[in-house]
Amino acid sequence: MESPKPVPCLADYGDVVGPEVIEEIRVLARRVEGRRMQNINSTPVGGGVAEILTRLVPLLNEVGVQARWDVMRGDNAFFAVTKAFHNALHGNKETITDQMLDVFRATTAMNLQHLDLGDDVIWIHDPQPAGLVDKRDQAGRKWVWRCHIDVSAPDPRVWNFLEPWIRRYDASIFSMPEFARQLSIPQFMVTPSIDPLAEKNRELGALEITAVLEKYGIDPQRPVLTQISRFDRLKDPLGVIKSYQLVKRRHDCQLVLAGGGATDDPEGAEVLAEVQKAAADDRDIKVLLLPPFSDYEINALVRGSTIVFQKSIREGFGLTVSEALWKGVPVIGGAVGGIRVQVIDGVTGFLVHSPEGGARAAARLLEDAELRRHMGENGRSHVRQNFLITRHLKDYLLVMLALEYPEDDVVTLQ
Ligand code: UDP
C-alpha cells in the first residue's frame, strides 16, 4: 500500500476547481479572519458529519478562522435515545418514553458542565447536542444549528421536545430546502460535500485497486456491485441483497456490502447480524466490517466497482453517492433525501423505489458498458460543480459573514 500523501492545503484544490474559486474563498475569509468557531457533534468517526468536519476544520483554520471540533459525551442509553430520535425525525414510528426524554436532558446537562463553550460562533451539528444552547446566555456570541437530516415530516413528539431549543439559535442550516421546516429563526441552505484530495477520494492506480479487491476475496475480472454504508436499516442492506439476487439470475456479478459502526449508532451490530445471515449461502456476497479510517480501502472498493448502490429508505444527504460519482461510477440510489439531487435519474445513475427497481437498473447498467462510462462522466462533472469541499467552505464562510450582518441584504467584500 502506498503511504498516505501529506494533508492537502487550500491551494492544492486549485487544480481541481480552478484558481478563481480559491481566490474567492480567500477574499471571503479575510472578512471573518480570527473568529473563533466551535463545532460540536456526537461522534468522532463514522457517518457523514464526522467525515466532513475532519476536512473542513483544518481548511477553515488555514484561511484564518480559529475553528475547533469537540465531540459531546454520551453513554449507550443516550445514543439509543438519539438514534430513536433520529429515526423519528426522519418520520419513522418510534416509541418515545418520558424516561428517554429525561436521558436526553440529563446528558445535555452533563455535557454543559464539562464542555468549554466560549467561541464567537458555536456550530451545533444535528439533534444530539442541540440542547447545549441552554448555555447561550453565558457562552458564545452566535449559535448555529446545523441540521444534516430531513426534519420536514418528523414525529411531532420528538420535534415538539426539541423545538424550544432550536428556537433559541441565531440561525439554522439545512442540507436541502426539502429538509427544512417552518422556523422562527433564519435558515440557510448548504449542501454537504466531499473532499476530492482526501485519502477516500484521491486517484488510485489500477494495481492498488486490484490489490484491495483481492485482499477481500473479490474477483476483479467479474462485475462488482457495492454499497458502502453503516449497517443501518434505513440504508436497506437487505434490499440491496434482494436486488443483487434478482439481477444475479441473469447476470454474473458479486456484491460487496461494506460498512463500519459509528459510536453513536447502537443498532449496528444487530443489523450486521441480519445482513450476515441473509448473505450466508452465497460466496459472491462479501460483507465487510471495516474498522474506522479504512478510507484507502473504501476508495479502492468503490473504484473497483461496476455499480454503487445507495438504496436508502430514508437518507440525509448520502455522501457515499458523491463519493462514488466522483470516481466515475454510476449509482443506483433510493429516491429519498439528498440522493435525489446527486443521482439525476438516467443521467448520473438511476433512482429506484424497490429491490425490483434496483435489480432492473443494475441489469441495464451491467448490459451496457457505454452507458456506464457516460453516466460515470456525468456524475464526476455533477460533483465537481456542486458537491466539493471548496463550495462547502465558501458557504460556511458566507453564513459566518451573514451572521455578522443580520440586518443587511448586501455585504460589500473589499
Ligand atoms: N463510511 C466509512 N466507513 C464505513 C461506512 C461509511 O468511512 O464503514 C463513510 C462513507 O464513505 C461516507 C460516510 O461514512 O463518507 C457516510 O456518510 P453518509 O452521508 O453516506 O451517511 P451517514 O452515515 O451519515 O448516514
Side-chain angles (χ1 to χ4, degrees):
M1 179 170 103
E2 197 182 290
S3 57
K5 301 230 161 79
V7 179
C9 64
L10 186 60
D12 296 333
Y13 294 84
D15 293 342
V16 184
V17 293
E20 62 290 349
V21 174
I22 307 302
E23 186 47 31
E24 212 180 340
I25 290 171
R26 292 199 195 282
V27 169
L28 266 176
R30 282 199 280 275
R31 295 303 300 259
V32 288
E33 202 173 342
R35 305 295 186 279
R36 290 169 308 140
M37 175 209 207
Q38 182 175 19
N39 292 273
I40 302 176
N41 81 325
S42 61
T43 180
V45 284
V49 179
E51 184 74 23
I52 290 169
L53 287 175
T54 302
R55 294 297 308 129
L56 214 44
V57 168
L59 284 174
L60 281 161
N61 275 288
E62 189 190 327
V63 298
V65 175
Q66 292 181 39
R68 59 178 171 140
W69 170 19
D70 290 307
V71 177
M72 74 179 301
R73 290 186 205 161
D75 57 12
N76 287 345
F78 175 70
F79 290 125
V81 170
T82 56
K83 182 72 204 228
F85 276 21
H86 177 92
N87 292 340
L89 288 169
H90 268 299
N92 269 25
K93 232 12 300 94
E94 293 283 333
T95 307
I96 308 290
T97 63
D98 287 347
Q99 194 195 1
M100 291 164 82
L101 305 184
D102 287 342
V103 168
F104 188 92
R105 287 190 198 97
T107 309
T108 300
M110 185 263 286
N111 276 278
L112 281 174
Q113 281 183 1
H114 82 79
L115 275 171
D116 153 36
L117 298 166
D119 292 13
D120 300 314
V121 195
I122 299 187
W123 219 268
I124 299 289
H125 295 263
D126 282 337
Q128 298 94 329
L132 297 176
V133 74
D134 271 344
K135 225 13 183 314
R136 79 158 289 153
D137 294 339
Q138 299 138 54
R141 290 199 297 122
K142 298 280 180 188
W143 286 71
V144 177
W145 187 50
R146 199 314 177 209
C147 180
H148 296 263
I149 62 178
D150 179 354
V151 294
S152 57
D155 177 331
R157 179 159 160 81
V158 174
W159 181 255
N160 292 341
F161 175 69
L162 292 173
E163 212 241 339
W165 278 306
I166 306 307
R167 249 188 276 141
R168 301 184 62 198
Y169 284 82
D170 292 283
S172 57
I173 304 178
F174 291 93
S175 295
M176 306 201 344
E178 293 87 334
F179 286 10
R181 48 185 304 105
Q182 201 89 36
L183 288 175
S184 55
I185 57 173
Q187 303 188 27
F188 295 96
M189 299 299 146
V190 177
T191 38
S193 64
I194 63 162
D195 179 352
L197 303 183
E199 188 68 358
K200 186 174 285 174
N201 297 312
R202 71 179 173 90
E203 298 297 326
L204 295 180
L207 290 178
E208 294 177 284
I209 297 168
T210 311
V212 170
L213 294 185
E214 286 174 347
K215 171 173 134 188
Y216 291 116
I218 303 158
D219 179 357
Q221 306 303 325
R222 295 163 55 217
V224 183
L225 318 183
T226 299
Q227 175 158 295
I228 309 278
S229 271
R230 290 180 292 104
F231 290 100
D232 179 329
R233 291 199 182 88
L234 296 183
K235 307 284 185 186
D236 199 19
L238 296 178
V240 177
I241 293 181
K242 185 103 185 282
S243 292
Y244 155 83
Q245 285 166 338
L246 290 169
V247 81
K248 176 98 178 183
R249 290 184 193 162
R250 287 191 290 129
H251 297 274
D252 178 36
C253 57
Q254 306 160 84
L255 175 65
V256 178
L257 291 169
T263 55
D264 62 351
D265 181 4
E267 275 173 0
E270 199 180 302
V271 178
L272 173 63
E274 289 167 14
V275 170
Q276 282 168 330
K277 189 159 165 242
D281 298 332
D282 188 337
R283 294 183 55 204
D284 274 340
I285 305 182
K286 308 284 180 226
V287 180
L288 309 178
L289 183 61
L290 299 174
F293 309 114
S294 300
D295 293 5
Y296 177 84
E297 285 77 6
I298 291 177
N299 188 346
L301 285 170
V302 171
R303 287 184 188 276
S305 299
T306 321
I307 300 167
V308 160
F309 272 80
Q310 189 55 60
K311 220 202 87 36
S312 308
I313 296 167
R314 303 237 200 275
E315 188 54 84
F317 182 69
L319 278 181
T320 49
V321 175
S322 276
E323 287 167 3
L325 294 179
W326 179 246
K327 298 174 181 73
V329 181
V331 174
I332 297 176
V336 292
I339 296 175
R340 289 170 301 168
V341 294
Q342 300 174 81
V343 175
I344 305 172
D345 194 38
V347 178
T348 65
F350 291 105
L351 288 173
V352 301
H353 300 84
S354 64
E356 292 73 18
R360 269 195 302 277
R364 227 179 122 190
L365 283 165
L366 287 173
E367 282 158 13
D368 192 342
E370 184 54 24
L371 179 67
R372 293 200 301 273
R373 199 192 54 75
H374 194 58
M375 285 189 161
E377 272 176 18
N378 293 343
R380 188 166 164 94
S381 109
H382 186 45
V383 174
R384 189 195 307 280
Q385 283 164 32
N386 300 291
F387 306 123
L388 293 185
I389 195 165
T390 35
R391 195 269 314 141
H392 202 159
L393 177 61
K394 185 176 130 191
D395 285 352
Y396 272 17
L397 293 170
L398 281 169
V399 172
M400 289 182 80
L401 198 57
L403 287 170
E404 299 203 356
Y405 298 89
E407 309 301 331
D408 298 356
D409 291 334
V410 177
V411 179
T412 308
L413 298 175
Q414 277 310 323

